[in-house]
Amino acid sequence: KWQPKKSAEKENDVNDVLDSSQYLSLTDEEDEKTDSVEIHCGDISYIIKNGEKKTLLSHISSVTDESAVSRVFSSALNISGAKEVKGAKKDNPDYGIADSDNYIVINGKDKTAKKVIFGKSANFDNRVYAACDNSNAVYTISESTMQSVMVLPQNLRNLDICEIDNTSITGFSLIRGGASVIDISYVEKTEDEKQNEALAGMATYTMNYPYKGVKASSDRVGELFKEITSLSANAIAAEGNANLKEYGLDSPTVLKIKDSGGEHTIKIGKKSENGYYIMYNDSNVVYIADCPFAS
């Protein structure tokens, strides 16, 4: 019945059994000493230039997410959690490193360059093989670490379309096929209405089209505005000189909304498997988004 002695600190968590010293960093670069980072994802490559803000030197978009670009830059400078594969050489084809076209290059302001290459899946613990150009050693890193760096440029775009406050809408109009369908405006209350408890908390609207100057039903307008919400895209279908007819946006349904944040023009086209094709204000971006108020 003899039992080996166990140290108290090793009994707390099975993860404590792992020796953290076996893990190391493939990159540990200083931001202020870095000039740029190159990301090579197969046939697609781009450069993030360091500066007061991180900027893309190619694949420039009108909706580039600066925070996403900055995250990729920072992730490239700090690739940690690597574990060396004992006895492995990076020219061994089993690791997929020698012929890999997935890699990054960190360019220093002192004209130095550091390259990290990503290979095949290691087929355990969601890890992949990786290597540095200045060593013949092979390492494994987590897939999530690799994915935080190997981001395609189209995924560096902001998918937030617009913020709408449906509690402060003062104007709403709908145009379909180029023809007006409805136009509603908020009406400021008179002093008498403000003093009337029954009317004080109820918004008042008037119809400008198709019934000029006719009071609108506050209940029906309220139900309509409940459906008007902020929009975020599931994806971006096109940007630039897109064929609008392909997306049903050559003759869209157009919503014009005024709220506390300003004026919003939302153009709704065809419905796809992943949502509606949408354009916003004067942007040349075609989004695919769930649009709860489309129907």
Side-chain angles (χ1 to χ4, degrees):
K1 295 183 179 180
W2 174 84
Q3 294 290 328
K5 292 181 180 180
K6 296 180 182 179
S7 61
E9 62 270 17
K10 293 297 183 183
E11 294 177 348
N12 294 331
D13 190 334
V14 68
N15 291 324
D16 290 340
V17 177
L18 296 174
D19 181 5
S20 60
S21 65
Q22 66 185 308
Y23 295 104
L24 49 86
S25 296
L26 293 188
T27 62
D28 187 15
E29 316 304 312
E30 296 181 41
D31 185 292
E32 59 270 19
K33 293 183 179 180
T34 303
D35 178 71
S36 64
V37 171
E38 301 173 24
I39 308 294
H40 298 266
C41 303
D43 295 333
I44 300 174
S45 301
Y46 61 96
I47 298 174
I48 303 176
K49 180 72 173 176
N50 198 5
E52 188 173 338
K53 67 177 182 178
K54 318 305 182 195
T55 55
L56 289 176
L57 298 186
S58 61
H59 301 279
I60 298 170
S61 167
S62 61
V63 289
T64 295
D65 187 340
E66 292 181 5
S67 61
V69 174
S70 184
R71 282 195 299 272
V72 172
F73 189 92
S74 297
S75 296
L77 300 192
N78 298 278
I79 301 177
S80 59
K83 183 178 180 181
E84 185 174 352
V85 182
K86 298 300 182 183
K89 305 297 182 184
K90 67 182 180 185
D91 56 356
N92 186 328
D94 290 343
Y95 304 119
I97 291 171
D99 58 353
S100 175
D101 52 7
N102 293 313
Y103 61 92
I104 66 167
V105 179
I106 302 170
N107 298 303
K109 292 180 179 178
D110 60 357
K111 306 304 179 183
T112 59
K114 184 168 188 177
K115 183 178 181 180
V116 178
I117 309 156
F118 304 103
K120 296 178 180 179
S121 169
N123 293 319
F124 70 90
D125 291 344
N126 295 317
R127 297 180 74 82
V128 296
Y129 294 113
C132 297
D133 62 339
N134 59 354
S135 167
N136 198 32
V138 176
Y139 305 88
T140 63
I141 62 170
S142 69
E143 285 185 2
S144 60
T145 297
M146 181 190 73
Q147 290 165 358
S148 69
V149 177
M150 302 300 287
V151 180
L152 293 171
Q154 58 262 39
N155 295 330
L156 294 174
R157 295 178 291 184
N158 194 336
L159 296 181
D160 293 332
I161 302 174
C162 61
E163 294 285 338
I164 298 175
D165 178 9
N166 60 12
T167 66
S168 67
I169 294 176
T170 58
F172 174 91
S173 66
L174 175 64
I175 300 169
R176 186 180 296 122
S180 287
V181 176
I182 193 169
D183 189 334
I184 302 170
S185 296
Y186 174 78
V187 179
E188 289 287 346
K189 291 183 175 60
T190 65
E191 289 301 320
D192 290 342
E193 289 174 328
K194 290 178 181 179
Q195 299 299 321
N196 187 323
E197 291 185 8
L199 299 175
M202 185 178 296
T204 304
Y205 299 90
T206 187
M207 296 191 70
N208 305 310
Y209 189 88
Y211 310 109
K212 180 69 175 176
V214 173
K215 185 176 180 181
S217 164
S218 295
D219 290 340
R220 295 297 299 277
V221 171
E223 287 299 312
L224 172 64
F225 288 176
K226 277 184 182 178
E227 300 297 323
I228 307 298
T229 59
S230 300
L231 291 176
S232 293
N234 299 319
I236 292 177
E239 184 176 2
N241 298 319
N243 180 3
L244 298 184
K245 189 173 183 180
E246 179 183 349
Y247 305 107
L249 289 164
D250 55 327
S251 182
T253 295
V254 181
L255 273 68
K256 294 188 175 182
I257 300 165
K258 293 180 182 179
D259 67 359
S260 59
E263 297 187 13
H264 310 273
T265 300
I266 301 167
K267 302 170 187 175
I268 305 174
K270 294 178 182 177
K271 188 176 184 181
S272 72
E273 292 181 359
N274 299 316
Y276 288 89
Y277 293 113
I278 287 173
M279 297 184 79
Y280 176 69
N281 284 355
D282 296 326
S283 172
N284 62 359
V285 178
V286 178
Y287 298 97
I288 303 175
D290 297 322
C291 188
F293 50 81
S295 59

